[in-house]
Amino acid sequence: MGSTLTGLEAATYENSTGAVELMASWIDPDFDPTLPALYYTRTLEIPTPRWTTYDAARLKQPLLDVPATV
């Protein structure tokens, strides 16, 4: 089913997709402790209201001319 924005004016949403927890392990077979290394992960998240949307809802103001979700 997925996540659903239930009301941008109220800055609410529902999450009915995905797992509660995700765990993984990874080993770099080419790791060399004598060399600098940087690792990063890319995470997929459900769309949620951005902070400006929460502020607009709390202050009962119109939404700004920016994307309402992230």
Side-chain angles (χ1 to χ4, degrees):
M1 188 153 151
S3 65
T4 305
L5 290 168
T6 56
L8 289 179
E9 291 77 18
T12 59
Y13 65 96
E14 293 179 5
N15 178 18
S16 57
T17 188
V20 175
E21 183 176 302
L22 172 66
M23 186 181 338
S25 177
W26 177 74
I27 297 173
D28 181 356
D30 299 320
F31 178 73
D32 181 347
T34 64
L35 298 174
L38 173 70
Y39 300 96
Y40 73 97
T41 62
R42 295 188 72 182
T43 306
L44 299 176
E45 296 183 35
I46 62 169
T48 56
R50 67 186 305 136
W51 67 270
T52 54
T53 305
Y54 283 114
D55 284 350
R58 183 174 53 86
L59 299 171
K60 297 183 179 10
Q61 296 295 312
L63 296 174
L64 297 177
D65 190 24
V66 296
T69 61
V70 290

